[in-house]
Amino acid sequence: MLAAFLERPPFPWQQRLFEQFITGKTPSALDLPTGTGKTSVIAIWLAALATQALQGKLTLPRRLVYIVNRRTIVDQATTETERLLKRLQTPELAKACSALQKLAAIPSENPVTASTLRGELADNGEWKADPARPAIVLGTVDMVLSKLLFRGYGDGKRKRVIHAGLLGHDTLLVHDESHLVPAACQTLQHLVDLNPALRLINLSATQRDESATPFRLDWADLTHPVLIQRTQAHKHLKILPPAKDEKSRLQTVVDCALQHRDKATTVVIFLHDIRSVQLVYAQLEKQVGKEQILVLTGRLRGYERDQLVTTALWQRFSPETKAVETPTQTAYLITTSAGEVGVDLDAEYAVADLAVLDSMIQRFGRVNRRGDSKTSQIDVVYSEKQFGDKYRGTQLQATLGYLKALHHDASPAQLNHTPKPDNAFMPAPASPELDAWIVDELSSTSLPCRYPVRDFIHGLEAEQPNLNVLWRKDLDRMKGWQAGDWLDDYLDLLPIQTAEQVHFPLKAATDWLTELLKKSQLHTLKIVGLTDDEAVWVTAEDAVTTLSRFHTLILPTALGGLNAKGIPDENCITPASDVLENVTEVRRYWSDAQPPADVKNFPRQGRITPPLDDDSDTERPTLVVCSQLGVKQDSDLSYLAVTMGLQEHLNQAEQFARQIVQALALPESLAEAVIIAARWHDKGKNRSCWQQAIGNTDLQAPLAKTSHGRYDHTRANGYRHEFGSLLDALDDEIIQQHPQRELILHLIVSHHGWGRPHVPERGWDRPKGYRINQQAALEVMNRFDCCQQDYGWWQLAWLEALLGAADVLASIGEKKS
C-alpha cells in the first residue's frame, strides 16, 4: 500500500512509521536529516488512513494539518499534496480511493480535500465543507495557531468557531521545522494537553527537545544505499578569514559567488538582511547581468513569489526538474531566511554569511540535497564585528566554533554526529502559558480578548511582530462608508488569500506607511485593520499611530506603495495591483457598473451593502460578489445567494446534518442533537423585520435566501434571527424533553458566531417583550459555560461546525445524496 502512494519502495523509516500509524499510534517527534524525505509523512498518514478504512476500523485522525514556519516560494508539502491527489485517481489505488470516499458524508469524486499555500488549491476552504471527508490542510504557524486559539487572523465571528472546531478535533498536527518557533511549540503542546482529540508531531532536522524520545533513523536506514548517498552527500565547508568590515564582507560574498560564474552551475547566496541582498545584487548584476539572478526575500508579495516558480531560472534550482538542454551559464539565487525553510531548493554551491546554528544547518540542507555532486562547496563569510551584536553575538561566536569542529564536512551525517552547543542557538523567548482560564476567554468569541494571540505564537520577547498588508480595489469606492456589520460580511465573502499578502516587520511597516502617506497625501483614505477581535474601519492616518494593534491591513489600491515586482516601496505612489481574482474563483463589480464579461461563469451572488447616513435617502451602489457553484472559496457560503423557501432550507439542512453525523458515527444522543438543531436553526427568520430586510414582501411565504443577495440592516434593526430561533425552540416539547436539550439550544443560537457567551441587546426579538428576551439572553451565557464544561472547548466548537457545514450545504443548493 505505502509503495503505491510513494510511487517507489519506501525507505525503512517510512515503512516503520506507516506500521505505527496503522495501529493508531503517532510519535511525538520526527528527528530526520534533510534529504531523507520528511514531507512524505503526509503520504504515510494517507496510506495508513486508507488501510484503516479498508479494514473498517478508523483510529487515525481524518485531518492532517501541516504547519510551516513561513510561506515559502514553493513548499515541498504543497508539491507532495498535489502529487498525492493525482496519485489517488490511478487504477493502482482504486480500492484505497473507494475506501476513503466512503468516509465522506457528501459523495465526491476526489476522496480527499486539500487546502494549500499556493497554486490551484490555495486557501480553497473545501476542507470544512464536509467534516467527515479526509482533509489535508497546509498553513503557516500564524494561520493555524490563531485559528486553533479561536481568533483566526482575518476570520469574522462566523468562522472563528468553525475553524477552531475543525482544526482542533480529530486532527493530526505536523509542525515542520518546529525548533524555529519555540513559543509556538510550547503552545501547541499545551493545546494537546488540554485537548485529547488533537495529536501533534514535531518534525525537524535539528530537534533540540530531549524530554521525549523522537522517531529517528535506525541501522536499516543508515545502510540504505539511497539514504547513504543523501546523508553523506559531499558538501565541502570552507570558512573564509574574517573580513575587516561590512563593505569587505559583502565584497567577499560577491567574489566567492563569481568563482563559479564559468561552471554553468547553480549558486545560492544566503544573507541575513535585505540591505545586504540589495548591495550584493547590485554588484553581481554588473558582472553577470540580471538575467542570471533571482532574488527571494520575505518582503515579497505571495503572488509575485508564485510567479517565480514558473521561470526557467528557478527551475534550475528545483531538485525535481530535469533540464531539457544543458545550461551554458551559472544561475544565482540571492535570498534571506525566506530561502532556508521548507523551500524545494537544491543548489550545487552556496555562499553564506554567518548566522545562528539553526539557520546555518537549514542553509546547508539546500546544497547537494540528493548527493549527486562530488564538487559541492559552501563558503562561509563573516566579520568579527558580528560578535559584538548584543542580541546574537554570543550565538554567532559559538556557531563559528561548531562549524570549525566539522572539519570542512557539512554533510547531514557529520552534522548529526557532531554535538551542537546549546549557546549556538537563540534562547527561546518567554511566552505565556496557555491554561484553562485563558482558553475560556479566547473561546468566548463574541467578546474581545485581553490576551494577544501573537504572544502565544512568537513569545513575549520575540523579535518585533510582522504586519500583513494587502491591497483591494473595492476600498477605492468605499468613501463615506461607516463602520458596521458589512465588515464581517466583506471578509466572509472575500476572505484574505495568502497570495495577496506582503509580510514585513512592524517598525519597517510603520516607517513605510508614514512615508507613503507623506508622498501620496491620501491621509483620509479609509482602510480595514484587523485585530485579534474585530475588523476596524479607520483612516490610514489614524492607523499609523496605532499600528501595533493590528496584524493585517487591507489598503485601497489607490494608496499605492507596491512596486511592479511586488515589493513595498513608499516611492511608488501609483495604484497598486489587486490580484484577488487572479488567485480565486470569484468576480466582483459595483451594482452601478457593467458586470465583467465572464460573470455568467460565476453564478452565485452575494452583496455588500453600505450603511447609509441617518439623514440620507440616496441608495448607494453595492458591491456584488460572484462565485462558482462549487464549494471552492474559503468563505461562509451561506451568504452566497440563491432563492430558497425557509422550510425547504430547514429540511435540507436537517438532511445534510443527518448524513454528516452518520458518516462520523456520532453517538445517537449527540447525533440527534445536531439534527434537531439543524431543523430549528433558522426558524427565527420567520419575522417580518427579517423578511423585509431581504426584500420579501410576501410574508405568508417566508424565504431563507434570495437570489439578489441584498440585506437591508436598517430594516432588521440589529435583530439576530438565530436568537429568534432560540426563543421559538424553547417552546418545543421534543427539545424540552431531550437529554441534550442544553446542547441543542446552544447550537441553535451560536450558529453564526454569537452566543459565545452572549447575544447583544440589539439582536433581541423585540415583539417578544423585554423580560422574555432578557431571561433568554442570561440563559444563553450560562448555557454556553455549561456546554463548554461538558464537552470541552474544541469538541463543542466541532459540534457547532457540523451544524455550520449542514447549513452551508443547504444554503448553496447542493443536491442531497
Side-chain angles (χ1 to χ4, degrees):
M1 173 72 80
L2 180 58
F5 273 88
L6 295 175
E7 300 181 77
R8 58 166 176 76
F11 296 144
W13 76 262
Q14 293 170 328
Q15 183 65 36
R16 283 189 292 120
L17 185 62
F18 173 63
E19 291 168 0
Q20 279 194 30
F21 277 3
I22 289 175
T23 65
K25 297 178 181 178
T26 52
S28 61
L30 299 183
D31 188 357
L32 301 169
T34 298
T36 54
K38 296 194 302 294
T39 52
S40 66
V41 69
I42 300 173
I44 297 169
W45 162 80
L46 188 56
L49 188 71
T51 301
Q52 289 190 342
L54 285 166
Q55 296 171 348
K57 185 179 180 181
L58 216 63
T59 57
L60 276 175
R62 293 178 187 241
R63 277 176 297 282
L64 182 142
V65 177
Y66 197 95
I67 307 172
V68 296
N69 183 41
R70 55 175 69 88
R71 185 186 188 278
T72 52
I73 184 171
V74 47
D75 52 280
Q76 294 163 268
T78 291
T79 303
E80 177 77 4
T81 300
E82 291 170 342
R83 184 192 66 78
L84 279 173
L85 296 186
K86 291 178 182 177
R87 183 68 178 154
L88 270 174
Q89 302 302 322
T90 62
E92 190 176 0
L93 288 174
K95 289 184 178 179
C97 182
S98 177
L100 290 169
Q101 282 176 323
K102 292 176 182 177
L103 297 178
I106 311 302
S108 175
E109 181 179 346
N110 196 328
V112 180
T113 181
S115 177
T116 65
L117 292 173
R118 62 172 177 84
E120 182 183 356
L121 303 172
D123 307 324
N124 61 15
E126 286 192 10
W127 60 275
K128 60 186 179 183
D130 178 356
R133 187 178 175 193
I136 301 169
V137 180
L138 273 60
T140 62
V141 65
D142 291 85
M143 181 194 311
V144 173
L145 255 179
S146 67
K147 293 182 187 302
L148 276 169
L149 293 174
F150 292 89
R151 303 283 163 164
Y153 289 169
D155 291 348
K157 287 184 178 65
R158 302 178 186 93
K159 287 193 285 187
R160 286 176 184 169
V161 181
I162 288 175
H163 289 167
L166 292 179
L167 293 177
H169 185 86
D170 198 16
T171 296
L172 172 62
L173 300 173
V174 179
H175 187 192
D176 195 11
E177 303 301 351
S178 55
H179 63 281
L180 296 177
V181 273
C185 275
Q186 176 180 304
T187 297
L188 284 168
Q189 188 55 57
H190 289 155
L191 286 170
V192 172
D193 294 341
L194 292 165
N195 179 12
L198 191 64
R199 303 194 206 179
L200 171 66
I201 298 177
N202 285 311
L203 181 60
S204 177
T206 54
Q207 287 284 354
R208 284 186 273 157
D209 183 8
E210 299 300 330
S211 61
T213 303
F215 183 101
R216 290 191 169 102
L217 301 184
D218 66 6
W219 180 251
D221 298 297
L222 298 175
T223 56
H224 190 282
V226 175
L227 292 179
I228 287 175
Q229 180 176 329
R230 295 186 183 183
T231 59
Q232 298 182 12
H234 178 86
K235 304 183 187 185
H236 179 72
L237 180 62
K238 182 180 179 181
I239 302 174
L240 279 293
K244 62 181 181 181
D245 54 31
E246 283 297 287
K247 183 178 180 180
S248 58
R249 180 180 68 86
L250 295 178
Q251 185 59 53
T252 303
V253 169
V254 174
D255 294 342
C256 289
L258 289 173
Q259 290 178 2
H260 309 294
R261 66 183 299 179
D262 299 323
K263 297 178 181 178
T265 186
T266 51
V267 180
V268 59
I269 302 171
F270 288 105
L271 299 165
H272 73 274
D273 66 278
I274 289 178
R275 180 177 176 276
S276 295
V277 169
Q278 293 169 335
L279 293 173
V280 169
Y281 174 82
Q283 290 296 317
L284 203 57
E285 182 190 15
K286 296 176 184 177
Q287 302 293 326
V288 301
K290 61 183 179 181
E291 295 79 11
Q292 298 308 118
I293 308 174
L294 283 175
V295 175
L296 172 62
T297 72
R299 207 173 298 181
L300 180 67
R301 185 167 60 173
Y303 178 75
E304 281 74 18
R305 289 192 196 185
D306 290 342
Q307 304 312 301
L308 290 182
V309 180
T310 63
T311 65
L313 200 58
W314 175 263
Q315 298 303 317
R316 295 275 303 277
F317 292 91
S318 172
E320 303 296 335
T321 303
K322 303 297 182 183
V324 178
E325 299 179 359
T326 302
T328 59
Q329 293 179 299
T330 291
Y332 293 93
L333 171 62
I334 310 174
T335 182
T336 57
S337 58
E340 292 176 4
V341 181
V343 184
D344 203 7
L345 161 66
D346 190 11
E348 188 168 5
Y349 298 95
V351 183
D353 60 7
L354 185 63
V356 295
L357 188 52
D358 277 341
S359 291
M360 297 308 293
I361 292 174
Q362 295 298 329
R363 293 173 177 188
F364 296 167
R366 307 300 143 198
V367 179
N368 194 21
R369 293 174 62 181
R370 303 296 175 88
D372 297 326
S373 173
K374 302 301 180 185
T375 62
S376 287
Q377 179 170 306
I378 302 168
D379 294 327
V380 176
V381 181
Y382 73 100
S383 70
E384 292 187 345
K385 183 180 178 182
Q386 290 180 266
F387 302 143
D389 188 313
K390 65 179 181 178
Y391 297 108
R392 303 186 307 151
T394 301
Q395 288 76 24
L396 293 175
Q397 201 153 15
T399 297
L400 182 62
Y402 174 81
L403 297 184
K404 290 179 178 179
L406 294 175
H407 303 294
H408 306 291
D409 180 6
S411 68
Q414 182 73 347
L415 292 172
N416 190 50
H417 295 151
T418 307
K420 302 173 182 65
D422 290 338
N423 62 345
F425 300 98
M426 294 298 292
S431 56
E433 183 169 345
L434 194 68
D435 58 22
W437 181 287
I438 293 174
V439 178
D440 276 341
E441 185 160 339
L442 287 166
S443 62
S444 298
T445 53
S446 62
L447 294 173
C449 182
R450 294 170 295 171
Y451 302 99
V453 168
R454 62 163 58 114
D455 290 350
F456 296 98
I457 302 174
H458 298 290
L460 297 168
E461 301 171 1
E463 295 180 4
Q464 57 175 306
N466 279 344
L467 185 72
N468 306 318
V469 181
L470 61 145
W471 289 258
R472 293 270 179 91
K473 62 184 179 183
D474 317 312
L475 275 63
D476 294 348
R477 287 200 59 181
M478 292 177 175
K479 298 173 182 176
W481 284 33
Q482 307 300 312
D485 291 341
W486 69 268
L487 284 167
D488 278 341
D489 296 348
Y490 180 79
L491 290 171
D492 282 331
L493 281 173
L494 296 171
I496 294 169
Q497 307 295 313
T498 55
E500 294 181 276
Q501 299 179 68
V502 172
H503 316 275
F504 53 127
L506 184 62
K507 173 66 166 60
T510 304
D511 294 342
W512 163 79
L513 187 55
T514 301
E515 190 63 26
L516 176 62
L517 292 176
K518 187 186 301 181
K519 285 184 166 63
S520 67
Q521 295 298 308
L522 297 175
H523 300 76
T524 59
L525 275 185
K526 288 288 188 74
I527 69 173
V528 177
L530 304 182
T531 72
D532 287 349
D533 299 314
E534 60 182 342
V536 181
W537 186 235
V538 63
T539 64
E541 184 175 41
D542 290 341
V544 172
T545 61
T546 57
L547 213 54
S548 61
R549 64 187 289 220
F550 302 115
H551 57 70
T552 303
L553 295 183
I554 306 177
L555 308 180
T557 57
L559 189 58
L562 188 75
N563 66 27
K565 293 182 178 180
I567 300 172
D569 184 350
E570 66 272 12
N571 296 311
C572 187
I573 58 175
T574 56
S577 57
D578 178 332
V579 297
L580 179 63
E581 293 181 9
N582 299 65
V583 298
T584 59
E585 294 178 343
V586 69
R587 295 290 181 269
R588 73 260 206 225
Y589 64 95
W590 290 92
S591 58
D592 63 347
Q594 190 70 23
D598 61 347
V599 73
K600 63 179 181 296
N601 299 324
F602 301 82
R604 295 215 174 275
Q605 192 180 105
R607 293 180 178 239
I608 309 296
T609 306
L612 301 177
D613 296 332
D614 292 339
D615 59 350
S616 173
D617 58 1
T618 303
E619 184 174 346
R620 296 178 185 172
T622 61
L623 180 64
V624 184
V625 179
C626 303
S627 180
Q628 297 278 11
L629 282 170
V631 185
K632 293 292 185 184
Q633 299 306 120
D634 182 16
S635 58
D636 180 353
L637 291 174
S638 64
Y639 275 80
L640 295 180
V642 56
T643 298
M644 184 179 293
L646 178 55
Q647 193 56 51
E648 177 190 3
H649 171 70
L650 291 171
N651 292 342
Q652 287 205 18
E654 180 179 347
Q655 177 59 30
F656 280 121
R658 194 178 305 277
Q659 290 178 225
I660 290 169
V661 297
Q662 287 176 352
L664 292 168
L666 250 63
E668 183 178 356
S669 182
L670 279 180
E672 285 183 354
V674 176
I675 293 167
I676 294 172
R679 185 186 305 159
W680 281 85
H681 76 287
D682 273 356
K683 290 275 191 180
K685 289 182 176 179
N686 192 8
R687 302 288 194 275
S688 60
C689 66
W690 198 92
Q691 293 296 315
Q692 290 171 12
I694 64 171
N696 180 27
T697 56
D698 184 2
L699 301 183
Q700 300 304 312
L703 298 176
K705 308 285 174 184
T706 57
S707 58
H708 58 71
R710 289 188 293 274
Y711 186 84
D712 186 348
H713 289 279
T714 59
R715 294 278 188 179
N717 200 26
Y719 167 68
R720 299 300 317 176
H721 73 270
E722 59 270 33
F723 189 73
S725 301
L726 169 74
L727 294 179
D728 290 349
L730 288 172
D731 297 327
D732 182 69
E733 289 187 12
I734 294 176
I735 294 177
Q736 293 303 318
Q737 296 173 9
H738 199 279
Q740 298 289 350
R741 173 186 182 272
E742 298 305 296
L743 175 62
I744 294 169
L745 296 175
H746 172 74
L747 293 178
I748 291 171
V749 78
S750 66
H751 78 271
H752 276 294
W754 292 99
R756 290 185 136 253
H758 83 306
V759 176
E761 187 173 329
R762 67 177 183 275
W764 294 359
D765 191 4
R766 295 188 178 189
K768 291 280 187 178
Y770 185 83
R771 289 189 178 181
I772 293 175
N773 278 271
Q774 184 185 50
Q775 181 63 33
L778 289 172
E779 290 174 356
V780 165
M781 292 188 282
N782 291 328
R783 185 178 297 117
F784 166 64
D785 182 60
C786 291
C787 285
Q788 197 149 254
Q789 290 186 47
D790 289 343
Y791 301 101
W793 300 282
W794 289 274
Q795 186 174 9
L796 181 62
W798 179 65
L799 291 168
E800 292 175 47
L802 302 187
L803 174 59
D807 184 22
V808 168
L809 289 167
S811 297
I812 65 175
E814 289 280 346
K815 294 181 179 178
K816 296 187 292 294
S817 63

